[in-house]
Amino acid sequence: MHIAVLAGDGIGQEIMVEALRVLGAMDLPDLCLDHADVGGAAYHKHGHPLPPETLELVEAADAVLFGAVGDPSCDNLERHLRPEQAVLGLRKEMETFANLRPAKMFAGMEDASGLKPEIARTIDIVIVRELNGDVYFGEKGMRKTADGLREGYDVMSYDESEVRRIGHVAFKTAMGRGKRLCSVDKANVLETSQLWRDVMIELSAEYPEVELSHMYVDNAAMQLVREPKQFDVVVTGNMFGDILSDAAAMLTGSIGMLPSASLAEDGSGMYEPCHGSAPDIAGEGSANPLATILSVAMMLRYTLNVPDAADAIEAAVSRVLDQGLRTPDIFSEGCTPASTVEMGDAVVEELVAAMAS
Ligand code: NAD
C-alpha cells in the first residue's frame, strides 16, 4: 500500500509528525510512505500549490494523508495559486465522492460540548455526505426576470446512479457500526429528495441487517441537538451534509479533534483533519494532533482494511483523554497540559502498551 503524505503548511507539519509516529507504532507490513509538498510550501518551492510531482505521487497512491494548507504569505496571489486550491485539485484528481465525518464524544471531554454533559456523552455518529453532485454542481447563473429583476438560480439534481453510489457507502458504513442508517432529505418538497428516498429504500433490500429510517433535514438539525444518540450513520446530499456535518462535529467540542475521510469509488481516499493550518499557533508546538491521528485510524479502516488497527488507535486516544491529558484547545481545569509532541508521545505509549499486553 502506498500512502502519499502531504503535510502542507502551518501546523500541518507539526501534527503530521505525530500522526506518522502513531502509524509507525502500529508496525504494519507493506506500507510505503511517500512525502510531497502541497499548499503554500509547494508554491514557494515549485511555483504551484499542487505541483505535477505531487499529483503524480497522489495518482500512484492508495491513500493520501493530508495535514492542512493555508499560508498568509500567499493571501495576495491569484486565486488558482493560493494554497487552498490544492484541496479542490486533489478532490478532483482523486474523484472522491463520499465524505465521512465522525462525531464522537470521548469520555472526559463532555465539558467541551455546548450540549448538556448527559446528552453530549452519548454522541457517536458518522455523517456520510455526497460530495460531487447536488445544487453545488448543477446549472447556475444570473438572469433577468420578465419584470427586469435580477434572479440567481442553482439547479438541484441527482441521478439515481449518484444516489446509489453514496447509498452503498452509507449502508456499508452502517454494517461496520451499529447497523442503523438515517437518510436525511426534504422529500416533502423536493423531487430530488423523493428520488433520493426511493433509491435508498430500493438499496435497503441489499442490506437487510441495516435498519433504514428517513428524516427531513430541518427535523434532523433539531434532533442532532436534542437527542443525538438516536443517530448511528446519517447519509445525505451535498448541501444538507455540508451543514449537518459541521453542526454534528462541533457538538463534540474542539476542531482539533475532528478527522475526516473522502472516498473514491476504487476504495482510495484522502484522510485529513477538518481544521486548517492555524497560522495563529503554527510553530508553537501547541496544536492538537488528535484529528490527524484519528484520520490515520480512518485510513486504516476505510482504505487499508485493517479495522483492528483503527480500533486500537481510537482506543489509545480515548485512554489518553481519559487520563486527563489536554492540548490547550481542549484544556479544562484539573487536566494535565500537553504539547503537540507530548500528546503524540502519550498515544504512542498507549498503543505500544496495548500491543505488548
Ligand atoms: P483553522 O482551522 O486553521 O483555525 C481556526 C482556529 O482553530 C484557530 O484559532 C486555530 O488556532 C484553531 N485550531 C485549528 N486547528 C487546531 C488544532 N489542531 N489544535 C489547536 N487549535 C486548532 O481555520 P482558519 O484560521 O480560518 O484558517 C487558517 C488557514 O487554513 C486559512 O488559510 C484557511 O484557508 C486554511 N484552511 C485550510 C483547510 C484545509 O487545509 N483543509 C481547512 C480550513 C481552513
Side-chain angles (χ1 to χ4, degrees), residues 113-136:
S113 172
L115 299 182
K116 290 182 194 141
E118 61 271 25
I119 296 178
R121 195 164 292 132
T122 63
I123 300 170
D124 186 1
I125 306 169
V126 172
I127 301 216
V128 179
R129 166 190 169 194
E130 203 286 331
L131 267 189
N132 277 356
D134 204 350
V135 68
Y136 295 167

Side-chain angles (χ1 to χ4, degrees), residues 142-152:
M142 286 282 182
R143 60 192 171 199
K144 283 267 165 78
T145 66
D147 303 332
L149 297 173
R150 285 175 302 159
E151 182 179 57

Side-chain angles (χ1 to χ4, degrees), residues 258-331:
L258 303 174
S260 78
S262 300
L263 306 179
E265 218 153 358
D266 63 1
S268 64
M270 175 159 147
Y271 297 86
E272 57 176 324
C274 293
H275 59 73
S277 59
D280 54 333
I281 58 166
E284 285 180 1
S286 64
N288 187 342
L290 293 181
T292 318
I293 290 171
L294 292 167
S295 300
V296 168
M298 292 189 86
M299 179 175 79
L300 296 176
R301 177 170 293 121
Y302 293 111
T303 294
L304 276 65
N305 289 320
V306 273
D308 292 351
D311 289 346
I313 292 177
E314 286 164 358
V317 168
S318 195
R319 285 196 299 278
V320 166
L321 290 169
D322 208 22
Q323 290 155 15
L325 206 64
R326 300 281 189 275
T327 43
D329 58 312
I330 52 173
F331 187 80

